Amino acid sequence: ALQTNSTLTTVYLNSNGIGATGAAHLAAGLQANSSLTSLLLAGNPNIGEAGARQLKAGLLTNSTLTVLD
């Protein structure tokens, strides 16, 4: 849904138990999304290094996200 959504600007997922797999899914959505400006992920320590790498890869092609927390 994130990949095709053109109106969503903020996703607040703080403290939602997101892990590396969830981060990978978010990263895939970020690659195609052109409206999201804020992604709030604080309080999800299980994202870990692997999930952070996935998010980084997703951000390489995203030009609209300005806030990642």
Short mmCIF file of all heavy atoms in Angstrom, two decimals:
data_model
loop_
_atom_site.label_atom_id
_atom_site.label_comp_id
_atom_site.label_asym_id
_atom_site.label_seq_id
_atom_site.Cartn_x
_atom_site.Cartn_y
_atom_site.Cartn_z
N ALA A 1 0.82 -1.20 0.00
CA ALA A 1 0.00 0.00 0.00
C ALA A 1 0.86 1.26 0.00
O ALA A 1 0.49 2.23 -0.62
CB ALA A 1 -0.93 0.00 1.19
N LEU A 2 1.98 1.25 0.70
CA LEU A 2 2.86 2.41 0.73
C LEU A 2 3.43 2.71 -0.64
O LEU A 2 3.62 3.86 -1.01
CB LEU A 2 4.00 2.17 1.74
CG LEU A 2 4.93 3.33 2.04
CD1 LEU A 2 4.16 4.53 2.56
CD2 LEU A 2 5.98 2.91 3.06
N GLN A 3 3.66 1.68 -1.41
CA GLN A 3 4.22 1.85 -2.75
C GLN A 3 3.30 2.62 -3.68
O GLN A 3 3.76 3.38 -4.52
CB GLN A 3 4.55 0.49 -3.36
CG GLN A 3 5.66 -0.22 -2.63
CD GLN A 3 5.83 -1.65 -3.09
OE1 GLN A 3 4.87 -2.30 -3.46
NE2 GLN A 3 7.05 -2.13 -3.06
N THR A 4 2.01 2.44 -3.54
CA THR A 4 1.07 3.05 -4.48
C THR A 4 0.30 4.23 -3.90
O THR A 4 -0.42 4.91 -4.63
CB THR A 4 0.04 2.01 -4.97
OG1 THR A 4 -0.64 1.47 -3.83
CG2 THR A 4 0.74 0.91 -5.75
N ASN A 5 0.46 4.51 -2.62
CA ASN A 5 -0.27 5.61 -1.98
C ASN A 5 0.35 6.95 -2.39
O ASN A 5 1.55 7.15 -2.24
CB ASN A 5 -0.24 5.44 -0.46
CG ASN A 5 -1.13 6.44 0.22
OD1 ASN A 5 -0.93 7.63 0.12
ND2 ASN A 5 -2.13 5.93 0.91
N SER A 6 -0.48 7.86 -2.86
CA SER A 6 0.04 9.16 -3.30
C SER A 6 -0.43 10.32 -2.43
O SER A 6 -0.17 11.47 -2.75
CB SER A 6 -0.38 9.42 -4.75
OG SER A 6 -1.79 9.47 -4.84
N THR A 7 -1.10 10.03 -1.31
CA THR A 7 -1.59 11.10 -0.45
C THR A 7 -1.01 11.06 0.96
O THR A 7 -0.98 12.08 1.64
CB THR A 7 -3.13 11.08 -0.34
OG1 THR A 7 -3.53 9.80 0.14
CG2 THR A 7 -3.77 11.34 -1.69
N LEU A 8 -0.55 9.93 1.40
CA LEU A 8 -0.02 9.78 2.75
C LEU A 8 1.30 10.55 2.88
O LEU A 8 2.20 10.39 2.05
CB LEU A 8 0.23 8.29 3.03
CG LEU A 8 0.57 7.88 4.46
CD1 LEU A 8 -0.61 8.17 5.37
CD2 LEU A 8 0.91 6.41 4.49
N THR A 9 1.41 11.39 3.91
CA THR A 9 2.64 12.16 4.09
C THR A 9 3.41 11.76 5.35
O THR A 9 4.62 11.96 5.41
CB THR A 9 2.36 13.67 4.14
OG1 THR A 9 1.47 13.95 5.21
CG2 THR A 9 1.79 14.16 2.81
N THR A 10 2.73 11.21 6.34
CA THR A 10 3.39 10.84 7.60
C THR A 10 2.95 9.45 8.03
O THR A 10 1.76 9.14 8.02
CB THR A 10 3.05 11.84 8.72
OG1 THR A 10 3.47 13.15 8.32
CG2 THR A 10 3.73 11.47 10.02
N VAL A 11 3.93 8.64 8.41
CA VAL A 11 3.64 7.32 8.97
C VAL A 11 4.27 7.29 10.36
O VAL A 11 5.48 7.46 10.50
CB VAL A 11 4.19 6.18 8.09
CG1 VAL A 11 4.02 4.84 8.78
CG2 VAL A 11 3.50 6.17 6.75
N TYR A 12 3.44 7.11 11.37
CA TYR A 12 3.87 7.09 12.77
C TYR A 12 3.81 5.65 13.26
O TYR A 12 2.73 5.11 13.50
CB TYR A 12 2.93 7.98 13.59
CG TYR A 12 3.29 8.08 15.05
CD1 TYR A 12 4.15 9.07 15.50
CD2 TYR A 12 2.76 7.20 15.97
CE1 TYR A 12 4.47 9.18 16.85
CE2 TYR A 12 3.07 7.29 17.31
CZ TYR A 12 3.92 8.29 17.74
OH TYR A 12 4.25 8.38 19.07
N LEU A 13 4.98 5.03 13.38
CA LEU A 13 5.05 3.63 13.82
C LEU A 13 5.93 3.47 15.06
O LEU A 13 6.51 2.40 15.28
CB LEU A 13 5.60 2.77 12.67
CG LEU A 13 4.71 2.66 11.44
CD1 LEU A 13 5.44 1.96 10.31
CD2 LEU A 13 3.42 1.94 11.78
N ASN A 14 6.02 4.51 15.87
CA ASN A 14 6.84 4.43 17.08
C ASN A 14 6.37 3.30 17.99
O ASN A 14 5.17 3.08 18.17
CB ASN A 14 6.77 5.75 17.85
CG ASN A 14 7.49 6.88 17.15
OD1 ASN A 14 8.10 6.68 16.10
ND2 ASN A 14 7.43 8.06 17.71
N SER A 15 7.33 2.57 18.53
CA SER A 15 7.08 1.51 19.52
C SER A 15 6.05 0.49 19.05
O SER A 15 5.12 0.15 19.77
CB SER A 15 6.66 2.12 20.86
OG SER A 15 7.65 3.00 21.34
N ASN A 16 6.22 -0.01 17.84
CA ASN A 16 5.30 -0.99 17.28
C ASN A 16 5.91 -2.37 17.11
O ASN A 16 5.34 -3.22 16.43
CB ASN A 16 4.77 -0.50 15.93
CG ASN A 16 3.53 0.33 16.08
OD1 ASN A 16 2.46 -0.18 16.37
ND2 ASN A 16 3.68 1.64 15.90
N GLY A 17 7.06 -2.61 17.69
CA GLY A 17 7.67 -3.93 17.61
C GLY A 17 8.17 -4.30 16.22
O GLY A 17 8.22 -5.47 15.87
N ILE A 18 8.52 -3.30 15.43
CA ILE A 18 9.00 -3.56 14.07
C ILE A 18 10.42 -4.12 14.14
O ILE A 18 11.27 -3.60 14.86
CB ILE A 18 8.98 -2.27 13.24
CG1 ILE A 18 7.53 -1.80 13.09
CG2 ILE A 18 9.62 -2.47 11.87
CD1 ILE A 18 7.38 -0.43 12.50
N GLY A 19 10.64 -5.18 13.38
CA GLY A 19 11.95 -5.80 13.31
C GLY A 19 12.56 -5.62 11.93
O GLY A 19 12.09 -4.82 11.12
N ALA A 20 13.60 -6.38 11.65
CA ALA A 20 14.30 -6.27 10.37
C ALA A 20 13.40 -6.59 9.19
O ALA A 20 13.46 -5.94 8.14
CB ALA A 20 15.53 -7.17 10.37
N THR A 21 12.52 -7.58 9.35
CA THR A 21 11.62 -7.94 8.25
C THR A 21 10.64 -6.81 7.96
O THR A 21 10.41 -6.46 6.81
CB THR A 21 10.84 -9.23 8.59
OG1 THR A 21 11.78 -10.27 8.83
CG2 THR A 21 9.91 -9.62 7.47
N GLY A 22 10.10 -6.22 9.00
CA GLY A 22 9.19 -5.08 8.82
C GLY A 22 9.90 -3.90 8.18
O GLY A 22 9.34 -3.22 7.32
N ALA A 23 11.14 -3.67 8.59
CA ALA A 23 11.93 -2.59 8.00
C ALA A 23 12.17 -2.85 6.52
O ALA A 23 12.14 -1.92 5.71
CB ALA A 23 13.25 -2.44 8.74
N ALA A 24 12.38 -4.10 6.15
CA ALA A 24 12.59 -4.45 4.74
C ALA A 24 11.33 -4.15 3.93
O ALA A 24 11.40 -3.65 2.81
CB ALA A 24 12.97 -5.92 4.61
N HIS A 25 10.16 -4.43 4.49
CA HIS A 25 8.90 -4.13 3.81
C HIS A 25 8.71 -2.62 3.67
O HIS A 25 8.26 -2.14 2.62
CB HIS A 25 7.71 -4.75 4.53
CG HIS A 25 7.65 -6.23 4.42
ND1 HIS A 25 7.35 -6.88 3.25
CD2 HIS A 25 7.88 -7.19 5.34
CE1 HIS A 25 7.38 -8.19 3.45
NE2 HIS A 25 7.71 -8.40 4.73
N LEU A 26 9.04 -1.88 4.71
CA LEU A 26 8.95 -0.42 4.64
C LEU A 26 9.91 0.11 3.58
O LEU A 26 9.56 1.02 2.82
CB LEU A 26 9.28 0.20 6.00
CG LEU A 26 8.21 0.08 7.07
CD1 LEU A 26 8.76 0.50 8.42
CD2 LEU A 26 7.00 0.92 6.70
N ALA A 27 11.10 -0.44 3.53
CA ALA A 27 12.10 -0.01 2.55
C ALA A 27 11.60 -0.22 1.13
O ALA A 27 11.78 0.65 0.26
CB ALA A 27 13.42 -0.76 2.76
N ALA A 28 10.95 -1.33 0.88
CA ALA A 28 10.39 -1.59 -0.45
C ALA A 28 9.33 -0.55 -0.80
O ALA A 28 9.27 -0.08 -1.94
CB ALA A 28 9.80 -3.00 -0.51
N GLY A 29 8.54 -0.18 0.17
CA GLY A 29 7.53 0.85 -0.06
C GLY A 29 8.15 2.21 -0.30
O GLY A 29 7.67 2.98 -1.14
N LEU A 30 9.23 2.51 0.41
CA LEU A 30 9.90 3.80 0.23
C LEU A 30 10.49 3.96 -1.16
O LEU A 30 10.54 5.06 -1.70
CB LEU A 30 11.03 3.95 1.26
CG LEU A 30 10.61 4.19 2.70
CD1 LEU A 30 11.82 4.16 3.62
CD2 LEU A 30 9.90 5.53 2.82
N GLN A 31 10.92 2.87 -1.74
CA GLN A 31 11.54 2.94 -3.06
C GLN A 31 10.58 3.48 -4.12
O GLN A 31 11.00 4.17 -5.03
CB GLN A 31 12.05 1.57 -3.49
CG GLN A 31 13.26 1.13 -2.70
CD GLN A 31 13.72 -0.26 -3.07
OE1 GLN A 31 12.99 -1.05 -3.64
NE2 GLN A 31 14.96 -0.57 -2.73
N ALA A 32 9.31 3.18 -4.00
CA ALA A 32 8.34 3.59 -5.01
C ALA A 32 7.46 4.76 -4.58
O ALA A 32 6.79 5.37 -5.40
CB ALA A 32 7.45 2.40 -5.37
N ASN A 33 7.45 5.10 -3.30
CA ASN A 33 6.55 6.14 -2.79
C ASN A 33 7.07 7.53 -3.14
O ASN A 33 8.26 7.81 -3.05
CB ASN A 33 6.41 6.01 -1.28
CG ASN A 33 5.44 7.02 -0.72
OD1 ASN A 33 5.80 8.14 -0.48
ND2 ASN A 33 4.20 6.59 -0.54
N SER A 34 6.14 8.42 -3.51
CA SER A 34 6.53 9.78 -3.88
C SER A 34 5.80 10.85 -3.09
O SER A 34 5.81 12.02 -3.46
CB SER A 34 6.30 10.00 -5.37
OG SER A 34 4.93 9.85 -5.68
N SER A 35 5.17 10.47 -1.98
CA SER A 35 4.44 11.47 -1.19
C SER A 35 4.85 11.51 0.28
O SER A 35 4.64 12.52 0.95
CB SER A 35 2.93 11.22 -1.28
OG SER A 35 2.60 9.98 -0.68
N LEU A 36 5.44 10.45 0.77
CA LEU A 36 5.78 10.37 2.20
C LEU A 36 6.91 11.34 2.53
O LEU A 36 7.95 11.35 1.88
CB LEU A 36 6.20 8.95 2.55
CG LEU A 36 6.24 8.62 4.04
CD1 LEU A 36 4.84 8.67 4.63
CD2 LEU A 36 6.84 7.24 4.25
N THR A 37 6.69 12.18 3.55
CA THR A 37 7.73 13.12 3.98
C THR A 37 8.28 12.78 5.36
O THR A 37 9.39 13.17 5.69
CB THR A 37 7.20 14.57 3.99
OG1 THR A 37 6.07 14.65 4.85
CG2 THR A 37 6.83 15.02 2.58
N SER A 38 7.52 12.04 6.18
CA SER A 38 7.96 11.70 7.53
C SER A 38 7.69 10.24 7.84
O SER A 38 6.57 9.76 7.65
CB SER A 38 7.23 12.55 8.57
OG SER A 38 7.47 13.92 8.37
N LEU A 39 8.72 9.56 8.34
CA LEU A 39 8.59 8.18 8.78
C LEU A 39 9.15 8.11 10.20
O LEU A 39 10.34 8.33 10.42
CB LEU A 39 9.37 7.24 7.85
CG LEU A 39 9.35 5.75 8.21
CD1 LEU A 39 7.93 5.20 8.26
CD2 LEU A 39 10.19 4.96 7.22
N LEU A 40 8.28 7.84 11.16
CA LEU A 40 8.65 7.86 12.57
C LEU A 40 8.70 6.44 13.11
O LEU A 40 7.69 5.76 13.20
CB LEU A 40 7.65 8.71 13.34
CG LEU A 40 7.45 10.12 12.75
CD1 LEU A 40 6.33 10.85 13.45
CD2 LEU A 40 8.73 10.91 12.80
N LEU A 41 9.91 6.01 13.45
CA LEU A 41 10.14 4.62 13.86
C LEU A 41 10.79 4.49 15.23
O LEU A 41 11.26 3.41 15.58
CB LEU A 41 11.04 3.93 12.82
CG LEU A 41 10.48 3.78 11.41
CD1 LEU A 41 11.55 3.29 10.46
CD2 LEU A 41 9.29 2.85 11.42
N ALA A 42 10.85 5.55 16.00
CA ALA A 42 11.51 5.50 17.31
C ALA A 42 10.90 4.40 18.18
O ALA A 42 9.72 4.08 18.08
CB ALA A 42 11.38 6.85 18.01
N GLY A 43 11.71 3.81 19.03
CA GLY A 43 11.22 2.79 19.95
C GLY A 43 11.03 1.43 19.31
O GLY A 43 10.23 0.63 19.79
N ASN A 44 11.74 1.17 18.23
CA ASN A 44 11.70 -0.14 17.57
C ASN A 44 13.12 -0.70 17.51
O ASN A 44 13.71 -0.81 16.43
CB ASN A 44 11.12 0.00 16.16
CG ASN A 44 9.64 0.28 16.16
OD1 ASN A 44 8.85 -0.58 16.53
ND2 ASN A 44 9.27 1.47 15.76
N PRO A 45 13.68 -1.08 18.66
CA PRO A 45 15.08 -1.52 18.69
C PRO A 45 15.35 -2.80 17.91
O PRO A 45 16.49 -3.08 17.54
CB PRO A 45 15.37 -1.72 20.18
CG PRO A 45 14.03 -2.01 20.78
CD PRO A 45 13.05 -1.19 19.98
N ASN A 46 14.30 -3.57 17.62
CA ASN A 46 14.51 -4.83 16.90
C ASN A 46 14.74 -4.64 15.40
O ASN A 46 15.00 -5.60 14.69
CB ASN A 46 13.34 -5.78 17.13
CG ASN A 46 13.28 -6.23 18.58
OD1 ASN A 46 14.29 -6.33 19.25
ND2 ASN A 46 12.09 -6.47 19.08
N ILE A 47 14.64 -3.39 14.93
CA ILE A 47 14.99 -3.12 13.53
C ILE A 47 16.44 -3.51 13.32
O ILE A 47 16.78 -4.13 12.34
CB ILE A 47 14.73 -1.65 13.16
CG1 ILE A 47 13.23 -1.40 13.04
CG2 ILE A 47 15.44 -1.29 11.86
CD1 ILE A 47 12.85 0.04 12.79
N GLY A 48 17.28 -3.16 14.28
CA GLY A 48 18.68 -3.57 14.26
C GLY A 48 19.47 -3.08 13.05
O GLY A 48 18.99 -2.29 12.24
N GLU A 49 20.67 -3.59 12.94
CA GLU A 49 21.57 -3.19 11.87
C GLU A 49 21.07 -3.67 10.50
O GLU A 49 21.13 -2.93 9.51
CB GLU A 49 22.97 -3.75 12.13
CG GLU A 49 24.01 -3.24 11.16
CD GLU A 49 25.40 -3.75 11.49
OE1 GLU A 49 25.71 -3.96 12.67
OE2 GLU A 49 26.18 -3.93 10.53
N ALA A 50 20.57 -4.88 10.45
CA ALA A 50 20.08 -5.42 9.17
C ALA A 50 18.89 -4.60 8.66
O ALA A 50 18.81 -4.28 7.47
CB ALA A 50 19.68 -6.88 9.32
N GLY A 51 17.98 -4.26 9.53
CA GLY A 51 16.83 -3.45 9.14
C GLY A 51 17.24 -2.04 8.73
O GLY A 51 16.69 -1.48 7.79
N ALA A 52 18.22 -1.49 9.44
CA ALA A 52 18.72 -0.16 9.09
C ALA A 52 19.35 -0.17 7.70
O ALA A 52 19.17 0.78 6.93
CB ALA A 52 19.73 0.31 10.13
N ARG A 53 20.05 -1.23 7.37
CA ARG A 53 20.64 -1.34 6.03
C ARG A 53 19.55 -1.41 4.96
O ARG A 53 19.67 -0.81 3.89
CB ARG A 53 21.53 -2.58 5.93
CG ARG A 53 22.93 -2.31 6.40
CD ARG A 53 23.88 -3.45 6.03
NE ARG A 53 24.32 -4.06 7.28
CZ ARG A 53 24.03 -5.28 7.68
NH1 ARG A 53 23.34 -6.11 6.94
NH2 ARG A 53 24.46 -5.72 8.84
N GLN A 54 18.47 -2.12 5.26
CA GLN A 54 17.36 -2.20 4.32
C GLN A 54 16.71 -0.83 4.12
O GLN A 54 16.41 -0.43 2.99
CB GLN A 54 16.31 -3.20 4.82
CG GLN A 54 16.77 -4.62 4.83
CD GLN A 54 16.90 -5.19 3.43
OE1 GLN A 54 16.22 -4.77 2.50
NE2 GLN A 54 17.79 -6.14 3.27
N LEU A 55 16.51 -0.11 5.22
CA LEU A 55 15.92 1.22 5.12
C LEU A 55 16.82 2.16 4.32
O LEU A 55 16.34 2.94 3.49
CB LEU A 55 15.67 1.80 6.52
CG LEU A 55 14.51 1.17 7.28
CD1 LEU A 55 14.52 1.63 8.73
CD2 LEU A 55 13.18 1.52 6.62
N LYS A 56 18.11 2.06 4.54
CA LYS A 56 19.06 2.87 3.78
C LYS A 56 18.91 2.60 2.28
O LYS A 56 18.86 3.52 1.47
CB LYS A 56 20.48 2.59 4.22
CG LYS A 56 21.52 3.36 3.44
CD LYS A 56 22.92 2.96 3.82
CE LYS A 56 23.93 3.59 2.89
NZ LYS A 56 25.28 3.11 3.12
N ALA A 57 18.81 1.34 1.92
CA ALA A 57 18.65 0.97 0.51
C ALA A 57 17.36 1.55 -0.06
O ALA A 57 17.33 2.02 -1.20
CB ALA A 57 18.67 -0.55 0.36
N GLY A 58 16.29 1.53 0.73
CA GLY A 58 15.02 2.09 0.28
C GLY A 58 15.08 3.60 0.10
O GLY A 58 14.42 4.16 -0.77
N LEU A 59 15.88 4.24 0.92
CA LEU A 59 15.99 5.70 0.86
C LEU A 59 16.83 6.18 -0.32
O LEU A 59 16.72 7.34 -0.73
CB LEU A 59 16.58 6.24 2.17
CG LEU A 59 15.66 6.12 3.37
CD1 LEU A 59 16.41 6.47 4.64
CD2 LEU A 59 14.45 7.02 3.20
N LEU A 60 17.65 5.33 -0.87
CA LEU A 60 18.52 5.73 -1.97
C LEU A 60 17.73 6.21 -3.18
O LEU A 60 18.21 7.06 -3.94
CB LEU A 60 19.45 4.59 -2.37
CG LEU A 60 20.54 4.25 -1.36
CD1 LEU A 60 21.33 3.03 -1.81
CD2 LEU A 60 21.47 5.44 -1.13
N THR A 61 16.53 5.71 -3.36
CA THR A 61 15.72 6.11 -4.52
C THR A 61 14.53 6.98 -4.13
O THR A 61 13.75 7.38 -5.00
CB THR A 61 15.20 4.88 -5.28
OG1 THR A 61 14.45 4.06 -4.37
CG2 THR A 61 16.34 4.08 -5.87
N ASN A 62 14.40 7.30 -2.85
CA ASN A 62 13.28 8.12 -2.39
C ASN A 62 13.74 9.57 -2.29
O ASN A 62 14.72 9.86 -1.62
CB ASN A 62 12.79 7.61 -1.03
CG ASN A 62 11.60 8.39 -0.54
OD1 ASN A 62 11.73 9.55 -0.18
ND2 ASN A 62 10.45 7.77 -0.53
N SER A 63 13.02 10.46 -2.93
CA SER A 63 13.41 11.88 -2.93
C SER A 63 12.49 12.77 -2.11
O SER A 63 12.70 13.97 -2.04
CB SER A 63 13.47 12.41 -4.37
OG SER A 63 12.20 12.32 -4.96
N THR A 64 11.48 12.19 -1.46
CA THR A 64 10.51 13.02 -0.73
C THR A 64 10.64 12.95 0.78
O THR A 64 10.24 13.87 1.47
CB THR A 64 9.07 12.64 -1.12
OG1 THR A 64 8.85 11.27 -0.81
CG2 THR A 64 8.81 12.91 -2.59
N LEU A 65 11.19 11.87 1.31
CA LEU A 65 11.28 11.72 2.77
C LEU A 65 12.30 12.71 3.32
O LEU A 65 13.45 12.75 2.89
CB LEU A 65 11.69 10.30 3.13
CG LEU A 65 11.46 9.92 4.60
CD1 LEU A 65 9.96 9.76 4.86
CD2 LEU A 65 12.18 8.65 4.95
N THR A 66 11.85 13.54 4.26
CA THR A 66 12.74 14.53 4.88
C THR A 66 12.93 14.30 6.37
O THR A 66 13.84 14.83 6.96
CB THR A 66 12.20 15.97 4.66
OG1 THR A 66 10.88 16.06 5.19
CG2 THR A 66 12.19 16.32 3.19
N VAL A 67 12.06 13.48 6.98
CA VAL A 67 12.16 13.18 8.40
C VAL A 67 12.14 11.67 8.60
O VAL A 67 11.20 11.00 8.19
CB VAL A 67 11.00 13.82 9.21
CG1 VAL A 67 11.07 13.41 10.68
CG2 VAL A 67 11.01 15.33 9.06
N LEU A 68 13.21 11.17 9.21
CA LEU A 68 13.27 9.76 9.60
C LEU A 68 13.72 9.73 11.05
O LEU A 68 14.83 10.13 11.37
CB LEU A 68 14.25 8.98 8.72
CG LEU A 68 14.46 7.52 9.07
CD1 LEU A 68 13.16 6.73 8.99
CD2 LEU A 68 15.52 6.89 8.17
N ASP A 69 12.83 9.29 11.91
CA ASP A 69 13.13 9.29 13.35
C ASP A 69 12.87 7.92 13.91
O ASP A 69 11.85 7.35 13.71
CB ASP A 69 12.28 10.34 14.06
CG ASP A 69 12.58 10.40 15.55
OD1 ASP A 69 13.69 10.04 15.96
OD2 ASP A 69 11.69 10.84 16.29
#
